[in-house]
Amino acid sequence: MSWFRTFHPRPGARVRLVCLPYAGGGAGLYRALAQKIAPEIEVVAVQYPGRQDRRAEAPIDDLHALADRIADELAALDGPPVALFGHSLGATIGFEVARRMLPRFPSPVVRLFVSARTAPVDHRPSGRDFRQDAVLRAWAGRAGDAARQAAADPDLWQLAAPSLAADLMMSETYAARPGAKVTCPVTAVAGTADRGCGVEHMARWAAHTIGGFEVAEVVGDHYFIDDPSTELCGLLEGLL
C-alpha cells in the first residue's frame, strides 16, 4: 500500500510539504493543515504501517528502518521540490529521512521543519518498556486528547496500542548515527505552552545542519499541530 496520503491534491503546487506524524498518529493528523495552507503548497502526509488504513500491516519499531523506507518511497515520487515537516517523534524521523535524501535527490530538500521535539544530540532513553500495557497506558494518560481517549475505550485501545507501543519503542531505542549533518535549512518550531520542548530546547537542532537555522514559536501546547493555527500556516507559507 502507498505510504502517502494527499487529502487536497494541488497539481500546480510549487512545493510538496511531506508531513510525518507524532507517536501513535496517522496521516489524518495533517488533513486540517492540508486544507488551511496556501494553494501553492501541497501537503502530503506519510502513513506509517500499523494504523488507520494500514492497520493490517505490522508496525515498524526501528526508526532507522522506517526512515530508510520513507526515503526510498520519496525518491520514487515525481513532482515539485520537497520540504519535510515532522512533529514530535515525526521530527526525528524527518531528520533521518533528510539525511538519506539529500545525497541522492536531483534537487535537495528545500527545508526541514522540526517541531515539538528535542534534538538528537539531546536524546536520552527513558528506560521504560512501552510494550508493557501498564507503562503504555501511563504514557497515554499524560499525552494528548487522542491518546487519552484511546486508553479509555477498550475497543479503540486494542486497535491503537500496537502502533503506539511500536512508535514509543522506536523513540526509546533511537540513537543518531555518526555521519554528515543535513545541508538544507532547518526551522525548529516550538509551542508557547510546551514546557518540555520550548524555544531553548528547539534551538539545539542547530547542531544538526550546516544550512541556515532558525527557531520560531507559535501559540499552543505540545500538540499544537492538532489544530494548526493561522500563525503556523503563515510561518510555513512564508518560508516555502
Side-chain angles (χ1 to χ4, degrees), residues 28 57 95 143 211 217 239-240:
E57 301 175 55
F95 166 69
E217 196 173 33
L239 291 169
L240 293 176

Side-chain angles (χ1 to χ4, degrees), residues 118-206:
T118 54
V121 70
D122 292 326
H123 180 73
R124 301 290 184 274
S126 68
R128 290 173 288 180
D129 184 353
F130 294 101
R131 294 166 296 189
Q132 298 180 18
D133 188 69
V135 176
L136 191 62
R137 285 180 179 275
W139 183 92
R142 297 189 297 271
D145 290 341
R148 288 195 295 270
Q149 290 168 9
D153 184 319
D155 293 334
L156 189 55
W157 185 247
Q158 186 175 8
L159 291 174
S163 59
L164 179 59
D167 287 356
L168 293 174
M169 289 307 298
M170 182 191 312
S171 176
E172 180 69 18
T173 59
Y174 169 73
R177 296 172 180 169
K181 301 177 182 181
V182 297
T183 57
C184 63
V186 173
T187 299
V189 188
T192 54
D194 189 345
R195 288 172 290 182
C197 294
V199 169
E200 68 278 11
H201 303 96
M202 299 304 295
R204 300 273 290 170
W205 278 93

Side-chain angles (χ1 to χ4, degrees), residues 57-104:
E57 301 175 55
I60 296 174
D61 61 4
D62 180 274
L63 195 146
H64 290 287
L66 181 61
D68 287 341
R69 290 296 307 276
I70 295 170
D72 287 345
E73 296 291 330
L74 280 173
L77 287 183
D78 294 323
V82 168
L84 299 172
F85 179 98
H87 188 86
S88 196
L89 174 63
T92 307
I93 297 170
F95 166 69
E96 289 293 347
V97 170
R99 295 180 84 189
R100 289 154 172 77
M101 289 172 64
L102 286 168
R104 66 176 192 240

